[in-house]
Amino acid sequence: MTILGIESSCDETSAAVFRDETLLSNVISSQFFHSEYGGVVPELASRAHLKSMLPIVRQAMLEAGITLNEITAVAATQGPGLIGSLLVGLNFGKALAISLDIPFIPVHHIEAHLFSTFLHDPHPDFPFLGLVVSGGHTMLIRVDDIGVYTLLGGTIDDAAGEAFDKVAKMLGLGYPGGREIDRCATSGDPEAISFPRPLLNSGDYRFSFSGLKTSVLYHLRKHANKGSLTLTEQERNDICASFQRAIVDVLLEKCMRAAKEYSITDVTVVGGVSANSELQRRMYEYGSLYDIQVYIPDVVYSTDNAAMVARLAALLAPRMTTTSLLQASAFARSGDRLFRAYP
Ligand SMILES: Nc1ncnc2c1ncn2[C@@H]1O[C@H](COP(=O)(O)OP(=O)(O)OP(=O)(O)O)[C@@H](O)[C@H]1O
Ligand SMILES: [Mg+2]
């Protein structure tokens, strides 16, 4: 199979070609202009997708060295995401599939993140535990097979990436700011400030990052000089390092506790926050100490990309009937629960 994957759920327009077990291309165009507004502006995002979709798909095919008639299926992100942005990629993909008379495979964005480490060799074996930490989601999922998922817990308020972005904004580090916090934290003291570790001992797999973000805000207010925030570079770096330490402590502890409870030895950490250097370092460290295989995608596959969409589609295709392949909606979604309705 030669699958063209399309991703447009938020502010990245991406197209990729995956043939058999090989990724032939993965082209990503990021909409950097949103930083000026301090967050993604949905209407501007969908208009930008409209402009870049065709050139990005063309570029992906060019880099893969294939022509239109070599594509055997088209896959696109169906959701969750910004509705206007999703519609651009989804309708482009569907129209292309119909015009070429080939199957269309709708892909769940979080499910695609979950399988992003399957772009690498080796990748996790079933059953594995997936820690999804992205801009909009924080979830711990037990994966017994493709399509067989148990949601062990998720965030009850902010996602981990959202907390990184909001704290970065408070510190004037721009948007999205997770990577900047990571960079500043390398020169900071993670023990300088004792921020809370929310729900660390809740006895379940729920997460909460909203209070942690507010603690950073209170800390900043307390140290504001007559209302104006003047931080030295070292103070800012210490806040970044201490905040990052608090988030990583919670993610690591809950994830590894679940691995122990369910006797699972393969863990994958996916989504944009999985690019965090401290999270990676501590996950790998813990893994090697306790014999747990930790799989984290290369940074290009951790934030939004079409390679993971095409990869998941290649895993799904053999399990779907021709009818379901041609249906635009092969799965049902309810809140944060993931479940795929196979025929
Ligand atoms: N090195 C890093 N450290 C911490 N956070 C990071 C790092 N690099 C990226 N991020 C964060 O990753 C997030 C983006 O990830 P991703 O593209 O997976 O999210 P999204 O697609 O917007 O959300 P979702 O997948 O839930 O719909 C942003 O919040 C960004 O700040
Ligand atoms: Mg994403």
Side-chain angles (χ1 to χ4, degrees):
M1 273 194 116
T2 302
I3 299 180
L4 172 71
I6 295 171
E7 158 64 34
S8 71
S9 66
C10 191
D11 55 348
E12 261 91 28
T13 315
S14 180
V17 178
F18 191 84
R19 173 179 283 169
D20 303 326
E21 286 303 298
T22 311
L23 180 69
L24 300 183
S25 65
N26 180 41
V27 181
I28 305 172
S29 160
S30 296
Q31 303 171 3
F32 295 112
F33 61 83
H34 293 291
S35 61
E36 181 184 334
Y37 304 95
V40 178
V41 184
E43 181 60 22
L44 297 182
S46 39
R47 284 169 193 245
H49 283 302
L50 273 176
K51 270 196 190 153
S52 47
M53 186 56 71
L54 190 54
I56 292 298
V57 168
R58 279 207 175 113
Q59 185 64 26
M61 289 176 49
L62 191 76
E63 288 185 19
I66 62 154
T67 55
L68 267 184
N69 54 21
E70 286 176 71
I71 303 172
T72 53
V74 181
T77 304
Q78 173 161 349
L82 299 171
I83 188 69
S85 293
L86 286 165
L87 284 172
V88 177
L90 195 60
N91 285 319
F92 185 96
K94 276 195 216 170
L96 187 61
I98 290 168
S99 70
L100 295 171
D101 198 21
I102 55 175
F104 175 74
I105 307 171
V107 164
H108 191 291
H109 183 71
I110 300 305
E111 197 178 4
H113 274 303
L114 199 54
F115 284 89
S116 53
T117 41
F118 280 61
L119 284 158
H120 301 306
D121 193 17
H123 56 67
D125 275 334
F126 298 112
F128 65 84
L129 203 62
L131 174 64
V132 181
V133 274
S134 59
H137 294 79
T138 300
M139 299 163 123
L140 249 181
I141 303 169
R142 182 193 158 115
V143 182
D144 284 284
D145 198 352
I146 299 158
V148 185
Y149 313 125
T150 311
L151 180 66
L152 304 180
T155 181
I156 56 170
D157 42 55
D158 289 356
E162 193 179 350
F164 267 101
D165 292 341
K166 286 176 176 170
V167 166
K169 208 165 163 181
M170 289 176 206
L171 295 170
L173 292 174
Y175 176 86
R179 213 167 56 179
E180 271 304 287
I181 292 197
D182 193 350
R183 189 186 61 78
C184 295
T186 55
S187 318
D189 174 6
E191 283 164 19
I193 307 142
S194 169
F195 288 126
R197 270 70 172 157
L199 298 183
L200 185 64
N201 296 310
S202 61
D204 56 24
Y205 299 111
R206 289 176 306 145
F207 298 89
S208 164
F209 297 113
S210 168
L212 172 57
K213 170 196 73 189
T214 310
S215 297
V216 177
L217 181 68
Y218 287 166
H219 177 85
L220 290 174
R221 280 198 188 145
K222 211 164 84 189
H223 291 82
N225 185 8
K226 292 192 185 109
S228 91
L229 183 63
T230 41
L231 289 176
T232 64
E233 204 174 300
Q234 190 57 50
E235 283 169 337
R236 186 201 60 195
N237 294 347
D238 287 348
I239 293 172
C240 288
S242 303
F243 163 76
Q244 182 173 278
R245 174 62 54 90
I247 288 211
V248 172
D249 276 355
V250 178
L251 293 174
L252 177 79
E253 175 73 28
K254 293 222 171 194
C255 180
M256 293 308 183
R257 216 184 276 165
K260 195 169 167 211
E261 181 181 342
Y262 293 96
S263 306
I264 291 179
T265 53
D266 281 19
V267 167
T268 183
V269 189
V270 298
V273 180
S274 73
N276 185 266
S277 57
E278 181 171 353
L279 182 60
Q280 293 203 358
R281 180 179 58 76
R282 293 189 48 209
M283 281 282 175
Y284 286 130
E285 249 172 40
Y286 190 102
S288 65
L289 263 175
Y290 294 95
D291 241 0
I292 289 175
Q293 300 301 315
V294 175
Y295 301 87
I296 301 176
D298 286 352
V299 63
V300 67
Y301 309 124
S302 64
T303 44
D304 291 348
N305 66 89
M308 65 183 188
V309 174
R311 167 75 274 202
L312 176 60
L315 291 168
L316 293 174
R319 298 168 180 247
M320 298 167 93
T321 63
T322 310
T323 321
S324 73
L325 277 171
L326 292 167
Q327 279 171 356
S329 181
F331 61 84
R333 184 164 61 84
S334 138
D336 265 344
R337 285 177 184 284
L338 290 176
F339 55 95
R340 177 171 292 277
Y342 284 106

